[in-house]
Amino acid sequence: MFEVFNVNVNILAIIVTAIVNIVIGMFWYSPYLFGNTWRKLVNRREGLNHMSNKEILFTIINALLITTGINSVLQYSLMLSGLDKFPNAIATSFMITLTFVITTLFNPVIFERSSKKLFLLNTAYSFVVYLLMSFTLTLFL
């Protein structure tokens, strides 16, 4: 573990939480949950079980970056909010989803006439994954 800008960086916590991110995504977008709906909405024939090596690599890098960012936001919000760890994780996940995810994912709906169903599916996924990632990171704090 090391510290950057008053944030503890626990490599094990980052790796475990990145794995949580990937596993949730695999399940969320699988045929067992919302995979078939997602495939139709994005006009994709094959599911995520046919990912290329490049897609897998980018997924891992993306998960590690998101985890590192949430780790920092969680720790700063914990210092400033006065909330206990798990209520802080819930509040932080909600605020990230409300202020960053919804606003970013809604732009294609406005400007590209993207599907509202796809927007809702991806927004719900983001909230669930950020919440579970926040809970996982909180276990290491």
Side-chain angles (χ1 to χ4, degrees), residues 18 22 54-67:
I22 293 166
K54 186 167 67 169
E55 288 171 323
I56 293 169
L57 177 63
F58 286 142
T59 298
I60 293 168
I61 292 169
N62 194 42
L64 289 167
L65 288 171
I66 290 170
T67 302

Side-chain angles (χ1 to χ4, degrees), residues 15 28-29 39 42 48 54-56 76-77 79-80 98 102 117 124-126 132 138:
I15 292 170
W28 189 272
Y29 293 104
R39 279 191 4 249
V42 297
L48 295 179
K54 186 167 67 169
E55 288 171 323
I56 293 169
Y76 279 121
S77 63
M79 286 186 264
L80 298 172
L98 180 66
I102 289 175
K117 287 181 182 178
Y125 163 73
S126 294
L132 294 176
T138 297

